[in-house]
Amino acid sequence: MNVFLKCLYRLYQLCVALPLTILATIITALVTTIGCLIGNGHFWGYYPGKCWSWLVVRLFLIPVTVEGRENMEDGQSYVFVSNHQGAFDIFLIYGFLGRNFKWMMKRGIMKIPFVGFACKAAHHIFVDRRSPTKIKETYDVARNTLQSGMSLVVFPEGSRSFNGHMGVFKKGAFALADELQLPIVPLTINGSFDIMPRTRDWHWVHWHPLRLTIHQPIYPVDKGPRNIQAIMHQSYDSVMSSLDPEYQGFMENPNQ
């Protein structure tokens, strides 16, 4: 993008995309919270957020490609695991995956005005690592969510990448899938790091296409530690296989 277009895009962000995003965020949070309090939490906890995410991506004029939706079966509960490149991962998955689910998210999100309260009302799962007891409580909630027939989305790296490359996967999501004998669906995100990585939080959005790849489900073939390791390694390889060449290969991320 040349200098003139970059300046024009930033002016558009400042005057149009950002104000409308803030307004949409407040409205979505209020609709989600009120809807979950008086009605179907599975509906109000998902569809307003899905529409909000779709709208945010469209407001910033980001083109999106989704590959592999045919790999998901109707009515099947999945544990989705994805690489975590940047802030726009949330909008891409929420707005374009096409499956009702709950997030496993950092506890710090609760502090975000409007958003944190809406996420709590929608019964998304906050990962609390303050003590072993809190960690157990988190996974008990996630287990109950999956047993109810809902799907779950997890970023098994635990945090966003500093360099666009994948870090190591933590085993929590895979242990849950193993315990309940549910399929894992790996997701690969491309483009989010180029739009807004964590090193540029609260900076200008950089225009770049987004691509979401939905891989074939990985079904359990056993149960126990060997199965957990097998599905974790297979998921990691699947996610890695669809990354853009410049982000291929493991590279350590500082705070994992």
Side-chain angles (χ1 to χ4, degrees), residues 143-156:
R143 183 184 300 107
N144 292 337
T145 297
L146 289 166
Q147 287 175 330
S148 73
M150 183 62 64
S151 293
L152 194 65
V153 173
V154 184
F155 294 116

Side-chain angles (χ1 to χ4, degrees), residues 125-153:
I125 302 161
F126 295 99
V127 180
D128 193 337
R129 303 185 186 278
R130 290 178 294 174
S131 70
T133 301
K134 294 293 185 182
I135 293 172
K136 181 181 181 302
E137 289 174 0
T138 297
Y139 283 99
D140 286 345
V141 174
R143 183 184 300 107
N144 292 337
T145 297
L146 289 166
Q147 287 175 330
S148 73
M150 183 62 64
S151 293
L152 194 65
V153 173

Side-chain angles (χ1 to χ4, degrees), residues 106 157 159-160 162 170 198 252-256:
K106 284 188 172 183
E157 294 168 274
S159 59
R160 287 174 291 160
F162 275 98
K170 296 176 173 66
R198 65 186 302 173
E252 188 174 358
N253 279 286
N255 71 337
Q256 271 210 314

Side-chain angles (χ1 to χ4, degrees), residues 32-33 103 105 109 114-126:
T32 299
T33 302
W103 290 101
M105 57 180 63
I109 291 175
F114 294 100
V115 173
F117 196 78
C119 288
K120 187 175 181 180
H123 297 291
H124 294 300
I125 302 161
F126 295 99

Side-chain angles (χ1 to χ4, degrees), residues 173-194:
F174 306 97
L176 276 173
D178 171 76
E179 179 184 342
L180 301 176
Q181 292 291 280
L182 290 173
I184 292 275
V185 176
L187 306 173
T188 302
I189 291 172
N190 280 292
S192 181
F193 183 78
D194 300 282

